[in-house]
Amino acid sequence: MSSSIPFEWFVLLLRIVFIFLLYFFIFQVMRVLTRELRAAAEAGGPETVSGTLLVEDSTNDYVRRGDAFILEPLTVIGRGRSATVRIDSSFVSGEHAQVSWSDGHWWATDLHSTNGTHVNSQLIRAPVRLNVGDRIQVGEVVFQLVP
């Protein structure tokens, strides 16, 4: 009987140490979470991106004048199923052009399309920075970038 008492005290001591370590771990996790949340709140949230492609001119039956497409940070214009803005036309490639948000500006890029992409009536070969009011022509559809 006398040998079991020290073992019971040892088990009790182990339980107390375990509970202390568990609470210490929870405390450390809460401290790190609080610090990270505070830093994220001070830094602000992700940059909000807004832009719309407004159809200014179109001879296409599926995309009509006045249609508006809200831009995503990476918008693909084309005939393919993966395109964000789909234009069902033989003059438009599967992935014809891309409008993307980078460095605080919208950029238009031709994706090696057969008929090319025009910005303000100029054929583009490299990414072109867009401004509000610029016109993007893909096939027989002319879009205008609006806020």
Side-chain angles (χ1 to χ4, degrees), residues 1 18 28 42 45 51 56-57 86 88 104 111 113 132 137 140:
M1 257 313 176
F18 176 75
Q28 291 295 337
E42 289 172 2
E56 190 174 81
D57 189 23
R86 290 189 65 195
D88 191 17
L111 299 176
S113 62
V132 172
Q137 183 175 353
E140 69 270 4

Side-chain angles (χ1 to χ4, degrees), residues 40-77:
E42 289 172 2
E47 184 179 14
T48 56
V49 178
S50 68
T52 304
L53 287 180
L54 181 66
V55 178
E56 190 174 81
D57 189 23
S58 174
T59 58
N60 189 291
D61 293 333
Y62 300 101
V63 180
R64 298 182 182 180
R65 181 183 172 95
D67 287 351
F69 299 93
I70 296 173
L71 291 172
E72 296 177 6
L74 180 64
T75 301
V76 176
I77 303 168

Side-chain angles (χ1 to χ4, degrees), residues 12 17 19 23 28 33 46-47 57 69 74 78 88-89 92-93 98 100 110 115 120:
L12 178 63
V17 168
I19 290 172
Y23 277 108
Q28 291 295 337
L33 281 174
E47 184 179 14
D57 189 23
F69 299 93
L74 180 64
D88 191 17
S89 168
V92 178
S93 300
Q98 169 180 298
S100 58
D110 182 70
N115 295 318
N120 297 326

Side-chain angles (χ1 to χ4, degrees), residues 19-48:
I19 290 172
F20 171 77
L21 290 174
L22 183 63
Y23 277 108
F24 183 71
F25 174 75
I26 291 171
F27 170 74
Q28 291 295 337
V29 168
M30 295 303 293
R31 191 173 69 111
V32 168
L33 281 174
T34 303
R35 184 178 58 216
E36 292 296 321
L37 288 173
R38 206 173 282 141
E42 289 172 2
E47 184 179 14
T48 56

